Amino acid sequence: MSDRKPLIAGNWKMNLDHQQAIALVQKIAWTLKDVNHDYDKVEVSVFPPFTDLRSVQTLLDADKLQLVLGAQDISQHESGAYTGEIAGAFLKKLDVRYVLVGHSERRQYHRETDEVVQAKVSAAFKNNLIPVICVGETLEELEEQGAAAVPIRQLEQALSGHKDIGEFVVAYEPVWAIGTGKVATAEQAAEVAKKLRESIEKLVSAEAADASRILYGGSVKSANVAGFLASEEVDGVLVGGASLDVTEFTGICRFQKHVSL
Ligand code: PGA
């Protein structure tokens, strides 16, 4: 078993206003408290929409909850005339620890290029935020280029050209598996994670390869999570749809109940 602490990350996407957010976080926290969840063993993080962050932060702080706050995006810029953008410094001020960068929905619907993703990773490092660098291939790319080719290329670009590389997380999310109910097999996920770790070793260092967590994402549910996390290579999951359902999400957080480690 590796020393990497598993991370269960709930990407809410554009769901739940700030009041609904508080209700969901409270329910997650109560449910995990009831089962004595050990947050030191399995880290649990939620990524609500920007407008919910302040409310969730206040709740986590007031009730001393151990859930960790993440944001769904970050501007590549520090400040200035960028209407609609959110600076890393603002996120840091709200005790945000993680920020998603390069999610396939941003790449697809907002035309985020690898250059933009690289600049956002840089903005995260500058603000002491941990980027969760999302990589993944479409079905076409998988068929044409084989497993791992596109994710590796995306990761290489995201990690290139930084003066200082801080802590980061990689999320392998095959585009064909996001929100579709189609999941990669545990073997596919483990194989790509292994190759991504090898490329971190080449791009950064052996230490970084050893320390960095690589998540799987795409139609993860409580019923299939154990398979992904049975592999040494996969250090957690990025959960979309199922993160909005208390029973599902807390079931995913308790994956160790189903895996013999
Ligand atoms: P999904 O989304 O779990 O609904 O497939 C995953 C993601 O996009 O992060």
Side-chain angles (χ1 to χ4, degrees):
M1 194 187 149
S2 84
D3 293 339
R4 296 180 292 270
K5 188 197 287 188
L7 171 63
I8 307 298
N11 173 15
W12 294 2
K13 309 193 179 183
M14 198 173 73
N15 293 292
L16 308 183
D17 63 34
H18 70 285
Q19 288 169 331
Q20 296 167 321
I22 289 176
L24 179 57
V25 168
Q26 277 173 330
K27 284 186 202 149
I28 294 170
W30 290 335
T31 307
L32 290 177
K33 187 163 183 247
D34 278 350
V35 295
N36 291 321
H37 182 80
D38 187 347
Y39 290 88
D40 290 332
K41 291 224 173 82
V42 177
E43 192 175 4
V44 180
S45 178
V46 291
F47 293 67
F50 286 130
T51 50
D52 301 357
L53 289 174
R54 173 65 174 149
S55 307
V56 175
Q57 180 224 7
T58 306
L59 171 66
L60 297 182
D61 194 41
D63 290 4
K64 309 255 171 309
L65 304 180
Q66 293 181 74
L67 290 160
V68 175
L69 200 49
Q72 295 178 20
D73 191 21
I74 178 174
S75 174
Q76 60 184 294
H77 306 288
E78 282 297 293
S79 65
Y82 301 103
T83 303
E85 296 273 281
I86 304 290
F90 306 163
L91 300 174
K92 190 70 196 172
K93 197 92 184 195
L94 291 173
D95 299 334
V96 165
R97 185 184 298 168
Y98 295 105
V99 62
L100 298 182
V101 177
H103 190 279
S104 67
E105 285 153 16
R106 305 281 326 167
R107 292 182 193 259
Q108 196 181 338
Y109 306 137
H110 300 268
R111 300 207 174 79
E112 280 189 16
T113 59
D114 286 328
E115 289 69 36
V116 170
V117 172
Q118 192 273 353
K120 289 187 172 189
V121 170
S122 175
F125 287 153
K126 274 191 206 129
N127 288 286
N128 286 318
L129 294 159
I130 302 174
V132 177
I133 305 169
C134 303
V135 297
E137 75 286 302
T138 61
L139 201 51
E140 231 173 39
E141 288 167 335
L142 178 69
E143 280 160 5
E144 280 168 14
Q145 304 180 48
V150 170
I152 285 176
R153 208 159 53 233
Q154 289 172 336
L155 184 63
E156 276 170 3
Q157 307 226 12
L159 289 177
S160 68
H162 301 291
K163 212 158 62 191
D164 297 304
I165 294 201
E167 182 179 348
F168 61 91
V169 174
V170 179
Y172 168 55
E173 298 204 299
V175 178
W176 46 270
I178 296 177
T180 58
K182 285 184 202 148
V183 269
T185 63
E187 292 71 31
Q188 273 174 314
E191 186 195 329
V192 177
K194 185 164 186 279
K195 290 188 176 151
L196 287 168
R197 198 174 301 288
E198 285 163 9
S199 62
I200 295 172
E201 181 165 355
K202 274 187 232 135
L203 295 164
V204 190
S205 65
E207 292 71 38
D210 193 44
S212 301
R213 287 169 295 176
I214 301 181
L215 317 182
Y216 169 77
S219 299
V220 172
K221 310 231 168 335
S222 58
N224 61 24
V225 65
F228 295 110
L229 293 172
S231 160
E232 283 265 305
E233 299 294 338
V234 179
D235 309 303
V237 282
L238 181 55
V239 188
S243 71
L244 301 169
D245 181 300
V246 187
T247 312
E248 267 299 305
F249 189 62
T250 53
I252 291 169
C253 295
R254 303 178 68 214
F255 72 92
Q256 283 173 325
K257 296 277 167 288
H258 317 283
V259 191
S260 43
L261 294 171

